[in-house]
Amino acid sequence: MHDCRPPSRALSRWLQNFESDPVDGRYGHLLLVEKPARDSDLGNQLRPYFESAHRDAREFFAGEIGISLHPDADEDDDASLLYPGCLPDTAKRGLFGEVMAGLVTENYEFVGGHEWSVPIFLFRYHADVEKYLFDLARDAERERAVFGRLGSDFIGLKLDDRGAVVRLIVGEAKWRGELSDAEVETLMLGKWKTNKRNGQRTRRGGIWAEINRDIDVPHGVRQLQRLLRERDRDGHAAAIVSMDKALVLRNPVPIARTNLIMIVGNGKAKRGEGEALLTWETIPEEYTSPHDLQVVEVILKDGEDLIDEIYDLLWKV
DNA sequence: GAACCGGTAACACGGCGGAT
DNA sequence: ATCCGCCGTGTTACCGGTTC
């Protein structure tokens, strides 16, 4: 289980927050900007949280692929094959965004003031990672791109005092090396596509489209429930039951939901002080879902260096 | 019904050319 | 010279349509 508290003090030293009042009680916007001087020890301060977030998947993949996690396993080579450090850079960037989504959810106050908990991360369901690791373990030369996780990137829960789930937070996390205006627009609205027949250009996909059409109880909830059942059946008995009620096909019991959009990356060169990527004064007009919306933007400088540093540190002595 | 083709989806980076 | 917008690259899986 994921049991590491977010490193609050490290976060407040690292990031400056620009918080704005919720709009209509249902839209929250939080801008987090990296402060000029990054603490040289920051990687170490974030490391326990990242290890906690990836622990389930690491154990799971090691078992599936047939690699021992034991330190004196006598096969030093195995260390280089271990999740998540062995993944290609692009995959690590994506993972970083997803872990950060959990980190900010647990650490900052979001729209509605709910208290969120992230019992476990869903990284083991990153099906293509498993295949990548399997191939890599048998052919060290093997290098290729890793296909992204399908479905929602991140699920968090709000539990009542009996431990039942009363609200979900469903997150979509994106990393981009350069958060230019065009890049953000593409991210939110989708890529330009040209219709071959009439030559018309339209945008397709994007975060807005994805989040607007997402089903109320996404597949990630089933995955989360399976994980809880396997890892901590007794500790989360009430949560498992309440998720069952929401997941049945006939007459499901609805669970309130908050959507989270998490954009993390390097700021564009000509970024103004406190400048946000998305509007915060009003609910973005592209958003049509009835659920509450929380946007978090994390603006870094040379974020790749930090990501590489963190993932190099994980599970190293 | 099986086998094939092309297109789309998801993830992110790299490079080109034009604008500042 | 630098920044920015746009398009192409690589990967797996699944969709619909066409052909045998």
Side-chain angles (χ1 to χ4, degrees), chain A residues 54 56-62 64-65 67 81-96 98 122-138 142 144-150 311:
Chain A
H54 285 299
D56 168 72
R58 180 177 166 96
E59 292 171 3
F60 175 78
F61 288 137
E64 292 294 306
I65 311 307
I67 304 175
L81 301 175
L82 280 174
Y83 173 92
C86 66
L87 295 177
D89 286 348
T90 52
K92 286 188 223 169
R93 312 272 189 267
L95 294 177
F96 175 78
E98 296 180 37
L122 303 176
F123 294 129
R124 73 154 71 172
Y125 293 110
H126 198 152
D128 193 43
V129 165
E130 179 173 331
K131 189 170 181 324
Y132 179 88
L133 296 174
F134 187 90
D135 293 347
L136 185 69
R138 284 152 183 80
R142 183 75 179 225
R144 61 174 181 83
V146 172
F147 198 18
R149 233 186 71 80
L150 288 97
Y311 280 90

Side-chain angles (χ1 to χ4, degrees), chain A residues 93-113:
Chain A
R93 312 272 189 267
L95 294 177
F96 175 78
E98 296 180 37
V99 176
M100 284 299 292
L103 194 47
V104 296
T105 300
E106 292 193 288
N107 192 69
Y108 296 93
E109 175 156 338
F110 282 176
V111 60

Side-chain angles (χ1 to χ4, degrees), chain A residues 4-50:
Chain A
C4 177
R5 301 302 308 154
S8 300
R9 294 187 56 195
L11 285 173
S12 62
R13 278 194 299 264
W14 174 34
L15 302 168
Q16 181 183 5
N17 34 338
F18 297 82
E19 218 155 342
S20 42
D21 293 331
V23 179
D24 295 347
R26 57 179 293 252
Y27 174 50
H29 184 280
L30 173 64
L31 170 63
L32 298 168
V33 183
E34 178 166 38
K35 294 176 182 174
R38 184 186 290 164
D39 191 331
S40 60
D41 193 45
L42 177 62
N44 263 316
Q45 294 160 12
L46 297 176
R47 166 183 169 177
Y49 192 93
F50 275 77

Side-chain angles (χ1 to χ4, degrees), chain A residues 98-278:
Chain A
E98 296 180 37
V99 176
M100 284 299 292
L103 194 47
V104 296
T105 300
E106 292 193 288
N107 192 69
Y108 296 93
E109 175 156 338
F110 282 176
V111 60
H114 309 292
E115 189 173 325
W116 297 112
S117 70
V118 182
I120 197 159
F121 284 77
L122 303 176
F123 294 129
R124 73 154 71 172
Y125 293 110
H126 198 152
D128 193 43
V129 165
E130 179 173 331
K131 189 170 181 324
Y132 179 88
L133 296 174
F134 187 90
D135 293 347
L136 185 69
R138 284 152 183 80
D139 176 5
E141 300 304 304
R142 183 75 179 225
E143 287 214 21
R144 61 174 181 83
V146 172
F147 198 18
R149 233 186 71 80
L150 288 97
S152 316
D153 291 333
F154 161 80
I155 307 270
L157 306 175
K158 180 189 186 183
L159 305 174
D160 66 12
D161 42 9
R162 297 195 334 278
V165 180
V166 291
R167 196 176 189 92
L168 297 168
I169 185 163
V170 180
E172 186 69 34
K174 302 280 180 189
W175 161 270
R176 276 302 118 101
E178 169 94 18
L179 293 169
S180 62
D181 296 346
E183 193 64 54
V184 173
E185 199 157 308
T186 304
L187 217 46
M188 301 310 296
L189 296 172
K191 290 185 183 179
W192 285 111
K193 301 275 175 179
T194 313
N195 185 317
K196 272 184 187 156
R197 273 188 281 279
N198 56 20
Q200 287 205 339
R201 274 162 44 96
T202 46
R203 288 189 177 272
R204 296 190 66 119
I207 294 178
W208 291 129
E210 221 163 283
I211 211 159
N212 285 335
R213 72 171 152 80
D214 196 17
I215 49 176
D216 285 345
V217 183
H219 183 216
V221 175
R222 169 109 281 167
Q223 298 177 328
L224 177 56
Q225 190 204 28
R226 278 215 301 264
L227 278 183
L228 293 178
R229 203 170 261 157
E230 180 186 323
R231 290 268 181 185
D232 187 27
R233 192 179 198 128
D234 297 332
H236 284 85
I240 291 168
V241 170
S242 58
M243 289 159 98
D244 253 334
K245 289 178 184 162
L247 285 162
V248 292
L249 294 177
R250 287 211 275 164
N251 304 320
V253 177
I255 299 183
R257 165 167 170 173
T258 299
N259 284 318
L260 169 68
I261 295 175
M262 168 92 191
I263 301 175
V264 43
N266 297 317
K268 62 178 179 182
K270 290 173 184 164
R271 220 188 122 260
E273 167 87 9
E275 182 185 336
L277 305 171
L278 304 179

Side-chain angles (χ1 to χ4, degrees), chain A residues 69-81:
Chain A
L69 288 175
H70 202 270
D72 28 291
D74 200 29
E75 292 169 76
D76 296 339
D77 303 344
D78 281 6
S80 62
L81 301 175

